[in-house]
Amino acid sequence: MTTAYELRCRECGRAYGNQPLSICEDCFSPLEVEFDLERARGRFTREAITAGPLNMWRYKALLPVAEDYVPTTPAGMTPLLSAPRLGARIGAKNLYIKNDAVCLPTLSFKDRVVAVALANAQAFGFDTVGCSSTGNLANAVAAGAARLGLKTYILVPADLEPAKILNTQVYGATLVRIDGNYDHCNRLCSQIAEKYNWGFVNVNLRPYYAEGSKSVGFEIAEQLGWRLPDNVVVPMAGGSLITKIKKAFRELVALGLVADKPVKFFGAQATGCSPISTAVKAGADGIEPQRPNTIARSLAIGNPADGPYAIKAIRESGGWAEDVSDVEIVSAIQELAETEGVFTETAGGVTTAVTARLYAHGRIKPGELTVSCITGNGLKTTDVLNGAYEQAVPVKPKMTEFAAWLDERTGELVEVA
Amino acid sequence: MTTAYELRCRECGRAYGNQPLSICEDCFSPLEVEFDLERARGRFTREAITAGPLNMWRYKALLPVAEDYVPTTPAGMTPLLSAPRLGARIGAKNLYIKNDAVCLPTLSFKDRVVAVALANAQAFGFDTVGCSSTGNLANAVAAGAARLGLKTYILVPADLEPAKILNTQVYGATLVRIDGNYDHCNRLCSQIAEKYNWGFVNVNLRPYYAEGSKSVGFEIAEQLGWRLPDNVVVPMAGGSLITKIKKAFRELVALGLVADKPVKFFGAQATGCSPISTAVKAGADGIEPQRPNTIARSLAIGNPADGPYAIKAIRESGGWAEDVSDVEIVSAIQELAETEGVFTETAGGVTTAVTARLYAHGRIKPGELTVSCITGNGLKTTDVLNGAYEQAVPVKPKMTEFAAWLDERTGELVEVA
């Protein structure tokens, strides 16, 4: 190729240069960005990365933006936390949390993909952008577009969580509530993008957008001291993230930044919307679309665009997929918060509960270096914890009242004096 | 002194070594941590800082923790964003946002002070920690203590925002709702800390806790390329933050990391709780306590512990203080989100509205390098935006329906085909 990267059809390999397009005109398969890795070799080095900014743009040489692109918003570079207290509860001895619950700027991993997509929207000259979204993407697009002064239309299922709706509208984006689920929104966006020539980050800009997820994989490897883990547990909605973490690891190996080794990929879904995990468990290659019915609304994609690729990534790696109930999701949100001080949204509850089950079933061994990917913040889905905690009667601000309250509560003498 | 730092009385100068104590036994003035700057000179260099971790612990040599302290949670190192679009609206040409709305791990600047306080709580051997809080501190203590496995009691005013209550309980902390305001909680905490020998981060650990705020100042200077701004606008609750940013700047100058220059400090309060700004405007040195009545509950401290020191810092710098109405706070939250993609809580609305007024009144000149400190996240105070946005009727997922909706909305033809 003559450029640093270009679009190629994932199936027939036809090259498309760079343009806002996501589907092959010949075989209707999805397009993907492919990099000229030899060309990147001199620029994508440990030294260059370490000297770069303290955010995902340190990996710019393998993100699809112009070489002279100047980022305007820090995004990514979230903590990789060791999780000994959660590990003790679920039988893991070498467990890490990749904590995108605190991803900048809008507290989900979608900030990564949106950062790349909006850079391309600007490069392609779009003055109006948008997306179909289950919430987190809406937040990220609205905030990112506000900062760039772009007009924004965002299509969401009408039943979305209030915090995610507000966290879209506050940035001045036009929110279009669709009388349907995510898959309805998504289909409509394809038509809208074409008719009005808008840049929809997860539709006509999707190949560029998806590359942003590689930054999760790059960060995990760098934060582990330039090595790959044994296992990665990843939540699946459209199925893209898990494939892109795998792609990031492959690119790191190809360019010699990490040693090659087997990495198993494990996918996590809610049972109420589990088309990918169902296929993995059944040994199927294709997706049987589902009608979502789960509190994990950010994962509620019944017909995942990258489902078949996610299945392939999991199976080829020797990994597995699991799905958990809504009750387990809520418990796992609480368990992760209580043990590691990380408050995640429902999707993170899914990942945590699935991680626990994978250890319980012996699919992950206690000592293996395992990274569990938390992708969004608990403040966005507070509704699922409604009623979970007592609202105790207020205590009068007097020492005698407090002491009486404490005695009653603890049933033991904690006084030291 | 024989240690790298120790407690000293701010007024009489009596030295106390290092212990969980916040008030001078002789003159009842507050204690403060003082560093042996000469001793820090070799360790607190630009080179050492740059080579440090990508969080506030890169400034460890001037934070009161043991030299061999190993941090367990990344905190701080939040973006310093240029704010050209907000600037265009308010007449600022060189405005930056220090964005602690995305501070790790619990999305407010309180994560900085808690990180330092809990390190000291552990060093002093406390097995139970706590605080009195208007919300953000509660979240930070609960999350931090969960990760360390400490027992936690948190006292809050009974009328706190639901998101801040949930975001405390989810970490397993015991939340004690007090039938009173913050000042009632705070007084009670002093008695509790003494009676039960608990480590209350903003009571008996307060001098250590407060030093954590210096990291805001260190980061601003480093992110500006090792120089100081002309002006800093800081929200004021207890009044500590503004004095600690000033202290950070002084220490940077003393150790030669930045060139000395005048910096004006501006304080921001809500009119419904404005004891400090009222004193500044009136030319008074002391605080007249107020009974708080504002939606900016994280700033609702009617009798601020560091009020007199905040007044002094502002006045000596040639700065000023302002306060704004609840209506202005909500508008400013929206304006900051729409222009810069930053969604802040009410305290950030206060800072943004005050910043605008300071430009409007000519107290800050358009070209001066000004940093406006945003200290908390908008997802914590969503209640103040209730009813601010229309909940439009859902649109059916059909192109004809969407086109009709769009035509009606825009009243113009946006179709390009």
Side-chain angles (χ1 to χ4, degrees), chain B residues 112-181:
Chain B
R112 303 171 179 276
V113 288
V114 167
V116 176
L118 291 184
N120 282 279
Q122 289 195 301
F124 291 130
F126 291 110
D127 68 348
T128 302
V129 298
C131 64
S132 56
S133 173
T134 57
N136 282 321
L137 182 58
N139 300 168
V141 170
R147 197 161 163 73
L148 299 174
L150 298 166
K151 276 180 287 185
T152 314
Y153 287 88
I154 288 171
L155 278 70
V156 299
D159 70 344
L160 208 61
E161 295 94 334
K164 286 183 178 168
I165 289 179
L166 176 65
N167 196 19
T168 302
Q169 292 179 312
V170 75
Y171 299 109
T174 301
L175 191 81
V176 191
R177 295 170 70 214
I178 295 298
D179 187 11
N181 58 33

Side-chain angles (χ1 to χ4, degrees), chain A residues 1-8 16-18 33-37 39-40 43 67 208:
Chain A
M1 62 187 87
T2 57
T3 51
Y5 56 87
E6 68 173 4
L7 298 182
R8 296 258 177 91
Y16 282 88
N18 285 296
V33 172
E34 196 158 314
F35 276 85
D36 181 343
L37 288 182
R39 191 164 168 155
R43 295 195 298 137
E67 209 166 317
Y208 300 99

Side-chain angles (χ1 to χ4, degrees), chain A residues 128 131 152-156 174-178 185 188-189 191-193 195-196 198 200, chain B residues 394-410 414:
Chain A
T128 302
C131 64
T152 314
Y153 287 88
I154 289 171
L155 279 69
V156 299
T174 301
L175 191 80
V176 191
R177 294 171 69 215
I178 296 297
C185 297
L188 182 56
C189 281
Q191 299 172 272
I192 294 171
K195 175 162 179 174
Y196 297 105
W198 291 351
F200 271 43
Chain B
V395 178
K396 290 210 185 318
K398 291 201 159 85
M399 191 60 206
T400 48
E401 299 269 343
F402 179 81
W405 175 88
L406 186 65
D407 282 352
E408 193 179 318
R409 186 180 173 87
T410 59
V414 294

Side-chain angles (χ1 to χ4, degrees), chain B residues 10 30 206 234-244 246 264-269 275-277 279-280 284-287 304-321:
Chain B
R10 280 198 197 171
R206 188 174 180 86
V234 186
M236 301 185 296
S240 173
L241 177 58
I242 196 166
T243 68
K244 292 298 178 177
K246 186 168 185 177
K264 288 183 184 169
F265 286 84
F266 295 89
Q269 294 206 295
I276 306 178
S277 65
V280 169
D285 294 329
I287 291 293
D306 289 284
Y309 298 100
I311 295 168
K312 189 158 173 272
I314 291 167
R315 191 167 292 145
E316 287 179 355
S317 77
W320 190 245

Side-chain angles (χ1 to χ4, degrees), chain B residues 3-202:
Chain B
T3 51
Y5 57 87
E6 68 172 6
L7 297 181
R8 295 259 177 89
C9 175
R10 280 198 197 171
E11 298 301 330
C12 75
R14 179 175 161 188
Y16 282 89
N18 285 296
Q19 53 178 307
L21 192 70
S22 65
I23 303 290
C24 177
E25 290 165 358
D26 286 344
C27 71
F28 305 107
S29 297
L31 305 184
E32 185 172 27
V33 172
E34 195 159 314
F35 275 84
D36 181 342
L37 288 183
E38 285 318 304
R39 191 164 168 155
R41 192 173 288 278
R43 295 196 299 136
F44 197 80
T45 63
R46 288 188 190 180
E47 294 67 30
I49 291 165
T50 309
L54 312 181
N55 55 57
M56 66 178 270
W57 294 112
R58 67 206 273 114
Y59 311 109
K60 200 176 81 170
L62 282 185
L63 296 174
V65 291
E67 208 166 320
D68 60 355
Y69 172 69
V70 179
T72 56
T73 303
M77 193 42 90
T78 59
L80 184 73
L81 300 167
S82 69
R85 285 169 39 80
L86 176 64
R89 288 215 201 164
I90 68 174
K93 293 187 193 309
N94 200 8
L95 177 63
Y96 288 81
I97 303 293
K98 180 61 175 168
N99 186 16
D100 272 16
V102 291
C103 192
L104 308 187
T106 69
L107 314 178
S108 86
F109 91 101
K110 292 294 187 185
D111 288 319
R112 303 171 179 276
V113 288
V114 167
V116 176
L118 291 184
N120 282 279
Q122 289 195 301
F124 291 130
F126 291 110
D127 68 348
T128 302
V129 298
C131 64
S132 56
S133 173
T134 57
N136 282 321
L137 182 58
N139 300 168
V141 170
R147 197 161 163 73
L148 299 174
L150 298 166
K151 276 180 287 185
T152 314
Y153 287 88
I154 288 171
L155 278 70
V156 299
D159 70 344
L160 208 61
E161 295 94 334
K164 286 183 178 168
I165 289 179
L166 176 65
N167 196 19
T168 302
Q169 292 179 312
V170 75
Y171 299 109
T174 301
L175 191 81
V176 191
R177 295 170 70 214
I178 295 298
D179 187 11
N181 58 33
Y182 173 83
D183 301 291
H184 293 119
C185 296
N186 198 251
R187 275 198 298 273
L188 183 55
C189 281
S190 300
Q191 298 172 274
I192 293 171
E194 193 169 351
K195 175 162 179 176
Y196 297 105
N197 191 33
W198 291 351
F200 271 43
V201 302
N202 57 340

Side-chain angles (χ1 to χ4, degrees), chain B residues 184-308:
Chain B
H184 293 119
C185 296
N186 198 251
R187 275 198 298 273
L188 183 55
C189 281
S190 300
Q191 298 172 274
I192 293 171
E194 193 169 351
K195 175 162 179 176
Y196 297 105
N197 191 33
W198 291 351
F200 271 43
V201 302
N202 57 340
V203 179
N204 48 347
L205 296 168
R206 188 174 180 86
Y208 301 99
Y209 156 97
E211 289 294 291
S213 289
K214 290 194 308 190
S215 61
V216 177
F218 294 148
E219 288 178 20
I220 289 172
E222 181 178 357
Q223 289 170 320
L224 288 174
W226 296 112
R227 64 193 170 124
L228 302 182
D230 296 316
N231 310 297
V232 187
V233 187
V234 186
M236 301 185 296
S240 173
L241 177 58
I242 196 166
T243 68
K244 292 298 178 177
I245 295 176
K246 186 168 185 177
K247 185 177 183 184
F249 288 173
R250 280 203 317 269
E251 290 178 343
L252 288 169
V253 169
L255 293 181
L257 275 75
V258 299
D260 199 4
K261 63 166 282 197
V263 180
K264 288 183 184 169
F265 286 84
F266 295 89
Q269 294 206 295
T271 304
C273 183
S274 51
I276 306 178
S277 65
T278 299
V280 169
K281 289 176 177 175
D285 294 329
I287 291 293
E288 190 81 38
Q290 294 184 359
R291 183 184 295 268
N293 180 20
T294 170
I295 59 169
R297 279 178 263 187
S298 61
L299 302 183
I301 299 182
N303 190 15
D306 289 284

